[in-house]
Amino acid sequence: MAKKTKPSDETPAQAEPTNGAQVSDQLREPAEVRYADQLAALAQNDKDERPASWRLSPRSVLRYVVGGVTLKADIGGKAMDVPITRKFFGDDGIVERAIVTLASERALLLVGEPGTGKSWLSEHLSAAICGNSTLTIQGTAGTTEEHIKYSWNIARVIAEGPRPENLIPSPTMLAMRSGALLRFEEITRCVPDVQDALVSILSDKAIAIPELPDANMVWAKTGFNIIATANTRDQGVNELSAALKRRFNYVHIPIVGDQKTEIEIVQQRSAELIQRYNLPTRIAPPIIQLLATVFREIRSGKTTDGVSIKKPSTTLSTAEAIGVALDAALSARFFGSGQVTPADIARNLIGSIVKEDKADLEALKEYAVIVAKKRAAKDKSWQEFHDVVLEMVK
Ligand SMILES: Nc1ncnc2c1ncn2[C@@H]1O[C@H](COP(=O)(O)OP(=O)(O)O)[C@@H](O)[C@H]1O
Ligand SMILES: [Mg+2]
């Protein structure tokens, strides 16, 4: 009789630490950890005045976000040149206005299409200004006033009554106590009652805790403010109330306007992600160029040579293009030669373009037949792209 195999309930073997190399096993680190060296270098070189509780002056926060300099700094006891990389691509004036708002009495609302980098910008602003981008509330239809203010450890309240140590603070309360920034993602997904809870926080700069006999107010320290984001696609789901609108400065984040910038974003962000996934792959610039061209042309319904084409119903954001680049790199690594080819791009593109609406397949097919085919005569990459798309949509 076959012996029953023992179920293996041992904990899986720990991954061997890589020798000395600093590879974090976290899939993603918050900006303040990932860019700690750049933030330290900026702080060491910062000569400007800082608003109360800020880690950096507004000028250095801007420098952190838009990059473009190399600073001498002492990092962990070693003198180093630290390049400050660009985090957010686009109009620097937008970033400047966002920073000015955060130093003011008003809160900041970043508004735009999905995938335009709103959350990304908000994370970097928080990291640079208060060194903590993790005090975040994700707005949903299920967000309650308790998520925004505080809740109680019920078991302990039953045993001991409401006491300060039985209170569970919200990210808002933690940000208020430490004079930090609260990030409120997708604020317009919250129902109006919940939004109203924010009005009192923004106008009083305090949260009342009526259950506590004493010490029943938490006051915000200087430096406290809110960065919220909202998608224009969600508009009309829950409009911001007039009272809340008045307390926010709106900064509109446009879809990246020019192809050169979009290529830069896709190139840099996909390189960072590829590194994160430890892929021994690089996407060659012409491939990124092809990907960005396809996205731009299909998104706008027009080619660079002025030919009109069908537009799909999905938003083809820059973020989607970055996603396609990463997927293409993964499939090249796992199923290909490691080199990302136009075929890898074509195969991984389809899921971005064709989402709810099957008719969008037609748009992609038309693009291959009309646009890619014409370029294929002069360029092998377009030929390969064309062939794979047609194979997939047939
Ligand atoms: N203008 C931009 N600059 C830098 N990165 C961008 C830009 N637009 C989009 N991205 C990238 O797209 C991805 C998704 O952006 P995200 O902030 O989540 O979009 P949103 O919150 O607007 O929906 C991020 O990885 C981000 O780096
Ligand atoms: Mg977002």
Side-chain angles (χ1 to χ4, degrees), residues 109-120:
L109 182 61
L110 302 174
V111 199
E113 295 265 317
T116 44
K118 300 180 296 296
S119 303
W120 176 249

Side-chain angles (χ1 to χ4, degrees), residues 207-225:
I207 295 179
I209 311 168
E211 297 92 330
L212 286 181
D214 320 304
N216 53 9
M217 276 302 233
V218 173
W219 295 96
K221 269 179 70 172
T222 51
F224 169 72
N225 207 338

Side-chain angles (χ1 to χ4, degrees), residues 48-86:
D48 279 9
E49 208 169 317
R50 304 170 190 190
S53 296
W54 282 33
R55 296 275 186 105
L56 295 174
S57 67
R59 205 186 294 275
S60 294
V61 174
L62 179 68
R63 188 45 71 209
Y64 169 75
V65 175
V66 304
V69 290
T70 296
L71 299 173
K72 293 203 178 304
D74 178 332
I75 306 290
K78 261 197 263 168
M80 281 202 229
D81 285 333
V82 181
I84 310 297
T85 55
R86 188 179 259 278

Side-chain angles (χ1 to χ4, degrees), residues 94-234:
I94 291 178
V95 184
E96 223 175 273
R97 254 179 303 130
I99 296 171
V100 169
T101 299
L102 288 171
S104 79
E105 282 289 293
R106 280 163 163 250
L108 171 65
L109 182 61
L110 302 174
V111 199
E113 295 265 317
T116 44
K118 300 180 296 296
S119 303
W120 176 249
L121 177 59
S122 122
E123 175 180 349
H124 284 291
L125 287 172
S126 311
I129 291 173
C130 65
N132 185 354
S133 64
T134 63
L135 296 172
T136 304
I137 296 175
Q138 178 69 48
T140 68
T143 304
T144 63
E145 193 169 334
E146 287 176 0
H147 292 142
I148 295 182
K149 292 184 167 172
Y150 60 89
S151 54
W152 294 99
N153 179 332
I154 301 292
R156 293 188 53 175
V157 169
I158 290 171
E160 307 169 347
R163 291 193 196 169
E165 61 273 25
N166 297 344
L167 180 138
I168 304 167
S170 66
T172 319
M173 196 175 260
L174 294 174
M176 288 170 104
R177 281 184 184 150
S178 58
L181 293 176
L182 169 72
R183 294 176 53 204
F184 203 125
E185 290 284 303
E186 310 288 359
I187 193 170
T188 43
R189 295 217 184 129
C190 299
V191 296
D193 282 1
V194 171
Q195 293 184 19
D196 284 347
L198 270 184
V199 174
S200 71
I201 289 169
L202 283 171
S203 51
D204 307 341
K205 313 280 186 208
I207 295 179
I209 311 168
E211 297 92 330
L212 286 181
D214 320 304
N216 53 9
M217 276 302 233
V218 173
W219 295 96
K221 269 179 70 172
T222 51
F224 169 72
N225 207 338
I226 299 180
I227 310 183
T229 64
N231 274 322
T232 37
R233 288 262 164 155
D234 289 343

Side-chain angles (χ1 to χ4, degrees), residues 154-341:
I154 301 292
R156 293 188 53 175
V157 169
I158 290 171
E160 307 169 347
R163 291 193 196 169
E165 61 273 25
N166 297 344
L167 180 138
I168 304 167
S170 66
T172 319
M173 196 175 260
L174 294 174
M176 288 170 104
R177 281 184 184 150
S178 58
L181 293 176
L182 169 72
R183 294 176 53 204
F184 203 125
E185 290 284 303
E186 310 288 359
I187 193 170
T188 43
R189 295 217 184 129
C190 299
V191 296
D193 282 1
V194 171
Q195 293 184 19
D196 284 347
L198 270 184
V199 174
S200 71
I201 289 169
L202 283 171
S203 51
D204 307 341
K205 313 280 186 208
I207 295 179
I209 311 168
E211 297 92 330
L212 286 181
D214 320 304
N216 53 9
M217 276 302 233
V218 173
W219 295 96
K221 269 179 70 172
T222 51
F224 169 72
N225 207 338
I226 299 180
I227 310 183
T229 64
N231 274 322
T232 37
R233 288 262 164 155
D234 289 343
Q235 233 164 31
V237 179
N238 290 301
E239 282 279 346
L240 275 199
S241 68
L244 201 50
K245 259 187 201 151
R246 210 152 37 77
R247 289 175 170 87
F248 277 102
N249 252 351
Y250 283 46
V251 171
H252 289 266
I253 309 289
I255 286 189
V256 175
D258 65 304
Q259 168 138 12
K260 195 171 144 271
T261 311
E262 188 160 34
I263 289 175
E264 265 182 301
I265 301 176
V266 177
Q267 183 96 59
Q268 183 181 318
R269 290 290 298 136
S270 60
E272 281 169 8
L273 289 168
I274 283 168
Q275 199 185 20
R276 190 115 287 274
Y277 282 79
N278 263 322
L279 297 175
T281 314
R282 211 180 120 256
I283 310 182
I287 302 288
I288 298 269
Q289 174 113 26
L290 180 129
L291 169 65
T293 306
V294 173
F295 259 74
R296 175 156 299 268
E297 292 183 332
I298 295 186
R299 177 195 298 146
S300 62
K302 209 165 175 193
T303 70
T304 37
D305 351 299
V307 180
S308 290
I309 46 176
K310 275 202 196 90
K311 267 207 270 191
S313 57
T314 37
T315 28
L316 290 172
S317 63
T318 309
E320 296 265 6
I322 296 167
V324 173
L326 179 65
D327 292 350
L330 286 165
S331 57
R333 167 78 180 87
F334 296 145
F335 300 113
S337 66
Q339 276 292 336
V340 179
T341 62

